[in-house]
Amino acid sequence: MPPAETPGSSLPVVIFGLLACVRLTAFESRAADAGRSPSYEDRVTLGALATTAFTQFERLRDRLVGLGADPWSAMRPFQEAITGFHERTRPADSMEALTKVYVADSIFADLYLDVARSADPAIEETARESLADSGHAALVTERLRAAALADTCLASRLGLWARRLVGEALSQAHALTVCDDGLRGLFGDDGVAAAFERVVDRHQARMRAISLRD
Amino acid sequence: MPPAETPGSSLPVVIFGLLACVRLTAFESRAADAGRSPSYEDRVTLGALATTAFTQFERLRDRLVGLGADPWSAMRPFQEAITGFHERTRPADSMEALTKVYVADSIFADLYLDVARSADPAIEETARESLADSGHAALVTERLRAAALADTCLASRLGLWARRLVGEALSQAHALTVCDDGLRGLFGDDGVAAAFERVVDRHQARMRAISLRD
């Protein structure tokens, strides 16, 4: 039995609408960070991350159209909260921008994949494709790890920045899923608290992987 | 006989370096315009144009690497002039942003293709791929044409904006090609003036196609 749905929208439309909004906004945020980077290398890394996010958005939009939904109507309920997140977490430089991708986008991916997995295998598959950062994630990880190991002052600044990002990302993810009538039911028997604990555990493992204190 | 080369760089490296810089900067400019658009439709159109430009940049970068060149060293000589163009031509809204893509990017494509055609068929082919806007160009044309026909006040504002863009685009293209030792020789027997006349003719035809006064 599928859980209760948002009035007027089927569960796949709600989930793909959320993810389409997440990806289109990630594109804009990463591209803006690319444009502000003084270094060629960071422009290209962030540009590739932006392009990946846009291509993922296009796939979700096409899935929504295939379901007979209007993409923007499906995305609009989530737009303000997601834009607000990006406005509250503007990176000061490209190392902070890469940390934001690494920390926040991974938290969203973990949580939204959990939600999609509970919904339906076909939804999960599309969600997995649309949340994967393919090769770029490895590049970001390596870049951050090398920077943190080489410069303890930078590492401590990025550690504090990551802490802010976690707080903002968890509040946003909570607002978008637990407060949504259609999505709340997907957290399963162990409930919301357990889902968020799993997300925090995985975040802590990622912080250790790049030698940043959590 | 190939024309005189810029000291230290082969002709393909100069041309691909110029085009790589043009495309990476077009990505950043179009993405910034996408992020500023209040309308979903314009965010998606400009985002798709940005993503196309980035993919074209990646292909040029890979060609440069294949030639044994450092991509950033090949791009750097052109960066300041190209960034300057975008800073002098910041669109006030997304209709101006789309007009900028339609007017200026087409002028650059015409001129740089002329240059590449004189150089070598293999260079021309890569240049053609890296300057094509595939399906998006048709979308932009249709959007601008419909807007100009529906609103004479907007049409007159966009006509004046296009005039500014032409001036800036021609000066930038002139500075980057005619003032470059390696590229000047490529304008052929009929010379620089004829090449620029051809570019202006094609621009005027494009303006008529969207019902804007030239």
Side-chain angles (χ1 to χ4, degrees):
Chain A
M1 269 290 286
E5 294 185 2
T6 304
S9 287
S10 70
L11 194 56
V13 170
V14 173
I15 293 179
F16 296 154
L18 165 61
L19 294 181
C21 192
V22 165
R23 296 331 258 159
L24 181 59
T25 316
F27 158 72
E28 290 165 352
S29 157
R30 293 166 173 194
D33 294 338
R36 277 191 291 264
S37 289
S39 110
Y40 165 75
E41 193 183 74
D42 292 335
R43 287 166 73 194
V44 175
T45 304
L46 286 160
L49 289 165
T51 298
T52 301
F54 193 83
T55 307
Q56 290 167 328
F57 154 74
E58 287 182 309
R59 207 174 300 148
L60 290 158
R61 177 199 57 191
D62 295 345
R63 286 297 305 272
L64 285 165
V65 170
L67 291 167
D70 172 59
W72 177 232
S73 302
M75 292 161 67
R76 193 167 33 207
F78 306 107
Q79 182 66 56
E80 196 181 321
I82 295 176
T83 306
F85 168 76
H86 287 294
E87 280 170 2
R88 285 190 302 278
T89 57
R90 274 192 206 278
D93 57 28
S94 50
M95 290 314 292
E96 288 195 6
L98 292 172
T99 305
K100 180 172 163 179
V101 172
Y102 185 75
V103 169
D105 287 23
S106 305
I107 287 178
F108 296 146
D110 281 346
L111 194 76
Y112 298 149
L113 256 182
D114 252 19
V115 166
R117 191 176 298 119
S118 314
D120 176 293
I123 295 181
E124 184 191 351
E125 198 191 318
T126 300
R128 191 175 292 284
E129 283 170 13
S130 75
L131 292 166
D133 268 328
S134 62
H136 306 117
L139 189 62
V140 173
T141 309
E142 196 33 59
R143 186 78 204 290
L144 289 174
R145 215 177 66 83
L149 287 171
D151 181 343
T152 53
C153 178
L154 176 68
S156 121
R157 173 161 70 90
L158 294 181
L160 291 170
W161 169 240
R163 198 173 272 276
R164 262 194 61 200
L165 291 167
V166 176
E168 293 286 353
L170 290 177
S171 325
Q172 188 213 283
H174 191 274
L176 290 182
T177 53
V178 180
C179 305
D180 182 283
D181 289 340
L183 300 177
R184 188 175 40 243
L186 293 173
F187 281 95
D189 291 341
D190 57 354
V192 171
F196 276 77
E197 260 173 52
R198 280 196 303 275
V199 167
V200 170
D201 283 348
R202 281 178 244 156
H203 161 69
Q204 288 171 338
R206 279 191 298 270
M207 293 297 278
R208 286 192 295 274
I210 57 167
S211 308
L212 280 191
R213 278 192 58 195
D214 150 57
Chain B
M1 269 289 289
E5 295 184 2
T6 304
S9 287
S10 70
L11 195 56
V13 170
V14 173
I15 294 179
F16 296 153
L18 165 61
L19 295 181
C21 192
V22 165
R23 296 330 258 159
L24 182 58
T25 316
F27 157 72
E28 290 164 352
S29 157
R30 293 165 173 194
D33 294 338
R36 278 191 291 263
S37 289
S39 112
Y40 165 75
E41 193 184 74
D42 292 335
R43 286 167 73 195
V44 175
T45 303
L46 286 161
L49 288 164
T51 298
T52 302
F54 193 83
T55 307
Q56 291 166 327
F57 155 74
E58 287 182 309
R59 209 175 299 148
L60 290 158
R61 177 200 57 192
D62 295 346
R63 286 296 306 270
L64 285 165
V65 170
L67 291 166
D70 172 61
W72 177 233
S73 302
M75 292 162 68
R76 192 167 33 206
F78 306 109
Q79 182 66 57
E80 196 181 321
I82 295 175
T83 307
F85 168 77
H86 287 292
E87 280 169 2
R88 285 191 302 278
T89 56
R90 274 191 207 278
D93 57 27
S94 51
M95 289 313 292
E96 288 195 5
L98 292 172
T99 306
K100 179 172 164 180
V101 171
Y102 185 75
V103 170
D105 286 24
S106 305
I107 287 178
F108 296 146
D110 280 345
L111 195 77
Y112 298 149
L113 256 183
D114 252 20
V115 165
R117 190 177 298 119
S118 315
D120 177 293
I123 295 180
E124 185 191 350
E125 199 192 318
T126 300
R128 191 175 293 283
E129 283 169 12
S130 73
L131 292 166
D133 269 328
S134 62
H136 307 118
L139 189 62
V140 173
T141 309
E142 197 31 61
R143 186 80 205 288
L144 289 174
R145 216 177 66 83
L149 287 172
D151 181 343
T152 53
C153 178
L154 176 68
S156 122
R157 174 160 72 88
L158 294 182
L160 291 170
W161 169 241
R163 199 174 271 276
R164 264 194 60 200
L165 291 168
V166 176
E168 292 286 353
L170 290 177
S171 325
Q172 188 212 281
H174 190 275
L176 290 183
T177 54
V178 180
C179 305
D180 182 284
D181 290 340
L183 300 177
R184 188 173 42 242
L186 294 173
F187 281 94
D189 291 341
D190 57 354
V192 170
F196 276 77
E197 261 173 49
R198 281 195 304 275
V199 167
V200 170
D201 284 349
R202 281 177 244 157
H203 160 69
Q204 288 171 337
R206 279 191 298 269
M207 292 298 277
R208 284 192 296 275
I210 56 168
S211 308
L212 278 190
R213 278 193 58 195
D214 152 54

